[in-house]
């Protein structure tokens, strides 16, 4: 399992890097628009802040332009590139073409059948917007479960995105998500429990340890 930061804000990527357990960064056009640098500069900075994958989502919608954009992103990000390609008819064609040379994920997947098509097209990762799916379809966790069932036995892995609580994060993993991507605040929330803090306070009050 891998936890990724879902952000293009450099200060957040720096903080996630210091955590030591966040192993890559996912971006999308909306997140890149929140950065104060042009996308090319932001992506180069993000690459410096992680040893793991840096995901870039294609904006173009025309087949040839998508190929060009994907190759350009790969030149900027280098060996850490994972392309995020939207789950559209042309998107699947682009995955089939680019996945032979660049790691591809398919994003904005809303059905188990789209996950199966993504796998056949050569995607290594399928991205499911868990909370959005709950809001739009009724049960995002059930969608993760269905996707996991369809992909069982294949190399294609599920990345859960649009996670709004620690409980939703855990439920996504239990349902079969291999990885999660989360905003910085959600990563911190995942690592925190009030009882852990209370327990530490208790030890601090009553215990002793090595002199340092
Ligand atoms: O890249 C996709 C985002 O993770 C979706 O999250 P959101 O539903 O919070 O916008």
């Amino acid at each position: 399992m891998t936890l990724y930061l879902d952000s293009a804000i450099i200060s957040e990527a720096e903080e996630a890097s210091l955590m030591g357990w966040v192993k890559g960064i996912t971006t999308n056009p909306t997140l890149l628009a929140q950065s104060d640098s042009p996308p090319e500069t932001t992506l180069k900075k993000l690459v410096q802040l992680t040893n793991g994958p840096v995901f870039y989502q294609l904006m173009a919608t025309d087949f040839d332009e998508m190929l060009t954009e994907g190759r350009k992103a790969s030149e900027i990000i280098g060996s850490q590139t994972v392309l995020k390609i939207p789950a559209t008819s042309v998107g699947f064609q682009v995955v089939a073409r680019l996945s032979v040379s660049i790691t591809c994920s398919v994003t904005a997947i809303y059905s188990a059948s789209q996950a199966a098509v993504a796998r056949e097209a050569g995607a290594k990762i399928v991205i499911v917007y868990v909370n959005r799916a709950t809001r739009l379809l009724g049960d995002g966790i059930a969608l993760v479960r269905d996707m996991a069932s369809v992909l069982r036995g294949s190399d294609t892995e599920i990345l859960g995105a649009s996670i709004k609580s620690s409980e939703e994060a855990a439920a996504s993993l239990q349902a079969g998500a291999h990885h999660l991507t989360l905003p910085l605040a959600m990563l911190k929330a995942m690592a925190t429990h009030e009882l852990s803090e209370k327990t530490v306070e208790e030890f601090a009050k009553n215990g002793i340890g090595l002199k340092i």
Side-chain angles (χ1 to χ4, degrees):
M1 190 208 56
T2 318
L3 296 173
Y4 298 114
L5 171 69
D6 198 23
S7 173
I9 296 182
I10 300 305
S11 60
E12 294 190 352
E14 285 168 346
E15 207 175 326
S17 164
L18 290 174
M19 288 170 164
W21 46 269
V22 179
K23 305 276 177 61
I25 302 168
T26 60
T27 69
N28 65 34
T30 313
L31 294 173
L32 281 168
Q34 291 163 9
S35 168
D36 42 20
S37 319
E40 180 159 355
T41 311
T42 303
L43 291 168
K44 282 182 181 160
K45 287 185 188 164
L46 294 178
V47 167
Q48 300 304 313
L49 292 169
T50 179
N51 294 323
V54 174
F55 289 66
Y56 173 78
Q57 183 168 328
L58 302 191
M59 271 286 275
T61 51
D62 167 82
F63 179 74
D64 289 319
E65 287 178 7
M66 289 173 86
L67 294 183
T68 304
E69 188 183 6
R71 289 178 182 132
K72 186 171 178 188
S74 168
E75 277 167 25
I76 294 166
I77 300 169
S79 59
Q80 288 161 265
T81 307
V82 179
L83 298 178
K84 286 172 77 175
I85 300 175
T88 60
S89 306
V90 67
F92 289 122
Q93 277 178 275
V94 172
V95 174
R97 180 70 73 86
L98 289 181
S99 60
V100 290
S101 53
I102 307 172
T103 305
C104 290
S105 65
V106 173
T107 194
I109 288 203
Y110 283 99
S111 73
S113 66
Q114 285 181 310
V117 174
R119 178 195 60 206
E120 291 307 300
K124 280 270 170 280
I125 297 168
V126 290
I127 304 178
V128 51
Y129 296 171
V130 179
N131 194 275
R132 276 198 212 196
T134 296
R135 279 180 274 137
L136 299 171
L137 297 172
D139 192 347
I141 299 298
L143 175 58
V144 176
R145 204 174 296 115
D146 288 349
M147 286 168 63
S149 162
V150 161
L151 295 174
R152 194 156 295 131
S154 81
D155 291 339
T156 304
E157 297 187 327
I158 299 170
L159 169 58
S162 182
I163 307 276
K164 305 297 178 198
S165 67
S166 307
E167 291 74 21
E168 199 167 48
S172 300
L173 293 169
Q174 284 170 328
H178 301 86
H179 318 286
L180 300 179
T181 185
L182 304 144
L184 188 64
M186 271 302 312
L187 287 166
K188 289 180 183 172
M190 267 188 87
T192 314
H193 196 288
E194 63 179 89
L195 290 178
S196 305
E197 307 294 332
K198 276 200 179 131
T199 307
V200 171
E201 279 167 28
E202 243 177 72
F203 283 129
K205 225 188 285 165
N206 309 323
I208 58 164
L210 295 172
K211 283 211 184 323
I212 46 167

